[in-house]
C-alpha cells in the first residue's frame, strides 16, 4: 500500500515527522493555521532551531507540501497525523482548543471524502480526550468513526534537540486503537518507514495510549526531581557529591543511568506542562497523584536552591553584577519555554541585581521577555567580565571549556555557581569561590 499523509501542526513534532516521512519517499502535506509560518517553511525557513530539520525539509522538497488548506490536504491523504500543541490553561489543566478546532475541520472534510482514512492523535492528551475528539469529528462529518474512517492514538517520545534522530530511530511505537483496520494500516505504515530498524510495537486502546505518554514524561520528571532532592541533601553533607551518587545508583540496571543529572530543574515545552496537566487530571478524577505533586514542588524549589547558593557567595545581591551563562532549557536549542533561567533572572531582578546574560542561541528569545531590564552579551568573555557572581544554567559545550583562570582573570570577584555540574570541582574550588548543585562543602 502506498501512503500519502497529512501532518496537522508544524511544531517540532509535526515537522520532524513530516521531514522524516518525506525523506523516505512518502507524500506529505504539512499543514498549519499560521500563514506566516507556512510561508516561511515554503522558503525553507524553519521558525525555530532544531538540528538537521532545515536540511531535511529542503532535501525532501519533492515529497513535502506546506499549506494552510487543511480540508484539501485531508482529502489527498490516507493517514492524518494530528500534532498540534496542547498548551496549559491558567488552572494548570490541558487546553484542548487547538486540537478541537483541528478535529472540527477534519470532521467537515471527511464529510466530502471517500472513506478509509485514519486519524492519528499524536498530540499529548489526557486520557479520555480522544473519545471526546471522536465525538467532535463524528458530529462534523455526520458519520460514525470505525466504519470507513478510523481513529488511533500514537504518542511520540522525541526530544527537542534530537527530534530528527529520535523520529528516525524511535525506541517504541505505541498504537492505541480498538479498530483492527487502523491497527494494521498503522503497523504497515511504520514497518514501511523503519524497515529493518522497526522498533518494538505495543497495541492498546486509546486511553491506555494516552496514559502511556503522561506516565513516560512523569517518570522522567520524577527521576530528575528525585536526584535534585538528593542534590539538595548533598549540599548539607560535607564532601558529599550527587554526581557520584547518581553514577553509582545508575549502575543498578533496575534504576538505569539516564535522567539522573542534577540541575536547576526541568524545563521546556513538555515536562512542566505535562506534569501540570497530569496532576490536574488526576485530581479531577479523584485520584490525586501525590508523587507528581512532590515532583512539581521539588522542581519549583530548585530555582530557590540556586538563589540560596548565590546568597552563600554574595550575601547581598543588591546592585551586584550577576552574569548568567545559558538561557535555553537545555543545550542545543534556542527554546526558553519554562527554562530555569526565566525564574532565576526574575528573582535576581527582585533583589535589584544587575543581570547580564549569554546564550549561544537563546538570547534573542530572552530579549522578547526581559527587554532592557537585563543586558545581553554576545560573547562569554563580555558576559562574565566585571561580574561579582556567575551562574551557569545551561550545559552548552562551549561553557565546558572554560577554565578557573578565565573567571579569575575576567570577573570582579570570582564567585561561580555551577548549576549543571559541567566543571571539575577540584580545580575550580582551588582557584575561586565555587558552589555547585549537589556538592557539599
Ligand atoms: C521531553 C521527553 O524527554 C521526551 O521523551 C518527550 O517526547 C517530550 O518531552 C515531549 O513530551 O514531547 P524535551 O522536552 O525535549 O523532551 O526535553 P528533555 O530532554 O526531556 O529535557 C527536559 C528538561 O529536563 C530539560 O530542562 C533538561 O535540562 C532537564 N533534565 C533532563 C535534567 O535536569 N536532568 C536530566 O538528567 C535530564
Amino acid at each position: 500500500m502506498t501512503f500519502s499523509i497529512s501532518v496537522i501542526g508544524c511544531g517540532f513534532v509535526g515537522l520532524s515527522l513530516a521531514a522524516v516521512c518525506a525523506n523516505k519517499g512518502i507524500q506529505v502535506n504539512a499543514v498549519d493555521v499560521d500563514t506566516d509560518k507556512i510561508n516561511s517553511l515554503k522558503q525553507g525557513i524553519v521558525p525555530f532551531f532544531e538540528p538537521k530539520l532545515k536540511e531535511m525539509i529542503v532535501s525532501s522538497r519533492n515529497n513535502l507540501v506546506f499549506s494552510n488548506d487543511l480540508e484539501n490536504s485531508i482529502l489527498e491523504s490516507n493517514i492524518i497525523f494530528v500534532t498540534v500543541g496542547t498548551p496549559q490553561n491558567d488552572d494548570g489543566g490541558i487546553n484542548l482548543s487547538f486540537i478541537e478546532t483541528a478535529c472540527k475541520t477534519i470532521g467537515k472534510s471527511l464529510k466530502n471524502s471517500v472513506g478509509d482514512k485514519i486519524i492519528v492523535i499524536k498530540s499529548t492528551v489526557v486520557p479520555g480526550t480522544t473519545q471526546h475528539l471522536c465525538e467532535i469529528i463524528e458530529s462534523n462529518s455526520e458519520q460514525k468513526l470505525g466504519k470507513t474512517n478510523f481513529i488511533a492514538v500514537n504518542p511520540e517520545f522525541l526530544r527537542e534537540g534530537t527530534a530528527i534522530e529520535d523520529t528516525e530511530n524511535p525506541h517504541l511505537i505505541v498504537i492505541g486503537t480498538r479498530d483492527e483496520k487502523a491497527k494494521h494500516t498503522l503497523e504497515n505504515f511504520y514497518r514501511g518507514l523503519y524497515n529493518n530498524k522497526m522498533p518494538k510495537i505495543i497495541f492498546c486502546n486509546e486511553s491506555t495510549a494516552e496514559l502511556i505518554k503522561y506516565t513516560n514524561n512523569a517518570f522522567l520528571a520524577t527521576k530528575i526531581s528525585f536526584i535534585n532532592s538528593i542534590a539538595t541533601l548533598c549540599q548539607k553533607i560535607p564532601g558529599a557529591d550527587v554526581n557520584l551518587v547518581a553514577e553509582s545508583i545508575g549502575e543498578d540496571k533496575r534504576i538505569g543511568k539516564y535522567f539522573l543529572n542534577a540541575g536547576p530543574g526541568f524545563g521546556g515545552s513538555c515536562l512542566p506542562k505535562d506534569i501540570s496537566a497530569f496532576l490536574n487530571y488526576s485530581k479531577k478524577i479523584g485520584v490525586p497523584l501525590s508523587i507528581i505533586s512532590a515532583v512539581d514542588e521539588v522542581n519549583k524549589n530548585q530555582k530557590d536552591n540556586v538563589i540560596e547558593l548565590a546568597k552563600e557567595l554574595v550575601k547581598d545581591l543588591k546592585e551586584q553584577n550577576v552574569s548568567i551563562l545559558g538561557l535555553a532549557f537545555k543545550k542545543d536549542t534556542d527554546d526558553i519555554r519554562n527554562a530555569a533561567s526565566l525564574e532565576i533572572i526574575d528573582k535576581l531582578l527582585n533583589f535589584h541585581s544587575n543581570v547580564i546574560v549569554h546564550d549561544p542561541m537563546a538570547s534573542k528569545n530572552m530579549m522578547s521577555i526581559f527587554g532592557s531590564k537585563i543586558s545581553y552579551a554576545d560573547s562569554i568573555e563580555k558576559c562574565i567580565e566585571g561580574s561579582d557572581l556567575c551562574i551557569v544554567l545551561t550545559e552548552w559545550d562551549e561553557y565546558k571549556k572554560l577554565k578557573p583562570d578565565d573567571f579569575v582573570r575576567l570577573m570582579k570577584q570570582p564567585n561561580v555557581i555551577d548549576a549543571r555540574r559541567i566543571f571539575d570541582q577540584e580545580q575550580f574550588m582551588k582557584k575561586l569561590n565555587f558552589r555547585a548543585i549537589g556538592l557539599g562543602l
Side-chain angles (χ1 to χ4, degrees):
M1 183 178 183
T2 51
F3 292 102
S4 169
I5 68 167
S6 281
V7 176
I8 303 171
C10 291
F12 78 96
V13 173
L15 284 179
S16 304
L17 178 71
V20 168
C21 289
N23 194 252
K24 290 271 169 85
I26 297 167
Q27 191 56 43
V28 182
N29 286 315
V31 191
D32 203 288
V33 287
D34 184 337
T35 320
D36 291 344
K37 193 190 255 184
I38 289 297
N39 288 339
S40 302
L41 286 165
K42 280 181 181 165
Q43 295 164 47
I45 302 164
V46 180
F48 51 87
F49 176 76
E50 180 61 45
K52 299 186 192 161
L53 180 60
K54 181 185 158 74
E55 294 77 359
M56 200 173 252
I57 285 177
V58 171
S59 71
S60 314
R61 260 193 184 137
N62 291 344
N63 302 320
L64 184 51
V65 177
F66 291 106
S67 88
N68 295 111
D69 188 350
L70 181 52
E71 290 207 40
N72 260 323
S73 302
I74 290 170
L75 292 180
E76 288 168 9
S77 312
N78 38 24
I79 306 183
I80 296 126
F81 288 97
V82 181
T83 55
V84 297
T86 46
Q88 194 174 321
N89 277 331
D90 288 344
D91 68 353
I94 189 167
N95 181 321
L96 294 174
S97 55
F98 297 128
I99 200 161
E100 286 172 343
T101 305
C103 286
K104 253 183 221 162
T105 318
I106 291 172
K108 282 184 193 151
S109 158
L110 289 182
K111 207 167 154 182
N112 308 317
S113 81
V114 189
D116 269 23
K117 295 190 189 300
I118 319 255
I119 296 122
V120 182
I121 307 297
K122 250 191 189 301
S123 306
T124 301
V125 290
V126 295
T129 304
T130 301
Q131 184 52 43
H132 161 68
L133 298 173
C134 273
E135 285 155 21
I136 294 180
I137 295 171
E138 285 174 343
S139 67
N140 283 278
S141 65
E142 293 173 14
Q143 51 181 287
K144 283 269 169 214
L145 287 167
K147 289 186 178 157
T148 52
N149 297 309
F150 306 89
I151 197 153
V153 179
N154 173 216
E156 51 71 31
F157 304 100
L158 60 85
R159 298 158 294 174
E160 277 185 52
T162 50
I164 292 293
E165 217 174 294
D166 292 348
T167 307
E168 288 182 315
N169 305 292
H171 65 279
L172 173 71
I173 293 171
V174 173
I175 296 178
T177 183
R178 282 162 293 176
D179 290 312
E180 288 301 312
K181 164 90 183 171
K183 211 165 158 176
H184 291 132
T185 309
L186 284 175
E187 182 175 2
N188 284 341
F189 171 77
Y190 280 122
R191 286 201 185 279
L193 186 64
Y194 295 124
N195 287 313
N196 52 355
K197 287 201 310 196
M198 181 69 184
K200 180 175 175 145
I201 183 161
I202 287 187
F203 295 105
C204 55
N205 60 26
E206 293 87 339
S207 303
T208 306
E210 291 165 328
L211 185 60
I212 288 169
K213 169 69 187 196
Y214 277 97
T215 308
N216 201 93
N217 271 0
F219 195 78
L220 292 174
T222 304
K223 280 188 103 173
I224 301 170
S225 278
F226 179 82
I227 206 66
N228 281 340
S229 304
I230 303 299
T232 309
L233 192 66
C234 284
Q235 283 162 221
K236 300 286 175 208
I237 306 173
D241 182 352
V242 76
N243 279 3
L244 294 173
V245 176
E247 191 183 337
S248 305
I249 64 167
E251 286 301 315
D252 185 331
K253 288 198 171 46
R254 295 168 300 173
I255 295 173
K257 61 184 177 184
Y258 299 106
F259 265 67
L260 287 176
N261 299 319
F266 56 81
S269 64
C270 302
L271 296 193
K273 159 186 84 87
D274 290 351
I275 285 295
S276 165
F278 203 25
L279 248 184
N280 182 283
Y281 166 79
S282 70
K283 281 182 192 155
K284 270 192 188 142
I285 64 162
V287 191
L289 295 169
S290 55
I291 191 162
I292 304 301
S293 277
V295 166
D296 193 36
E297 194 187 322
V298 169
N299 200 50
K300 286 178 178 146
N301 290 345
Q302 202 57 0
K303 283 86 186 173
D304 290 321
N305 187 9
V306 174
I307 295 294
E308 285 312 308
L309 291 176
K311 284 193 200 148
E312 280 177 26
L313 290 174
V314 181
K315 281 195 182 45
D316 186 2
L317 285 160
K318 194 174 173 190
E319 275 155 34
Q320 296 293 298
N321 299 328
V322 182
S323 49
I324 304 281
L325 291 181
L327 304 171
F329 82 100
K330 63 178 182 182
K331 70 168 184 170
D332 296 337
T333 173
D334 61 0
D335 198 342
I336 54 164
R337 284 174 290 177
N338 287 304
S341 57
L342 293 171
E343 217 176 301
I344 290 170
I345 293 171
D346 238 350
K347 288 179 193 290
L348 290 168
L349 290 177
N350 285 340
F351 285 117
H352 303 286
S353 304
N354 308 315
V355 179
I356 179 161
V357 301
H358 174 267
D359 190 284
M361 281 184 187
S363 291
K364 205 170 146 217
N365 286 337
M366 208 46 125
M367 267 176 213
S368 65
I369 294 186
F370 286 105
S372 59
K373 287 187 194 151
I374 60 175
S375 310
Y376 307 85
D378 57 13
S379 73
I380 301 173
E381 287 71 20
K382 283 185 200 157
C383 184
I384 60 182
E385 194 168 26
S387 60
D388 298 289
L389 170 68
C390 174
I391 312 177
V392 179
L393 287 181
T394 314
E395 70 285 19
W396 286 100
D397 289 342
E398 51 213 278
Y399 300 156
K400 293 178 188 165
K401 294 182 194 141
L402 289 166
K403 300 274 173 282
D405 287 341
D406 297 322
F407 292 95
V408 173
R409 179 170 50 86
L410 292 162
M411 291 178 75
K412 193 153 99 195
Q413 303 181 66
N415 295 312
V416 173
I417 296 173
D418 181 0
R420 287 286 188 172
R421 299 303 302 268
I422 62 170
F423 297 134
D424 178 325
Q425 72 249 23
E426 269 176 42
Q427 276 189 40
F428 272 69
M429 273 193 293
K430 263 188 220 151
K431 299 220 168 159
L432 33 85
N433 305 325
F434 185 70
R435 293 285 188 283
I437 289 282
L439 194 63
L441 288 184

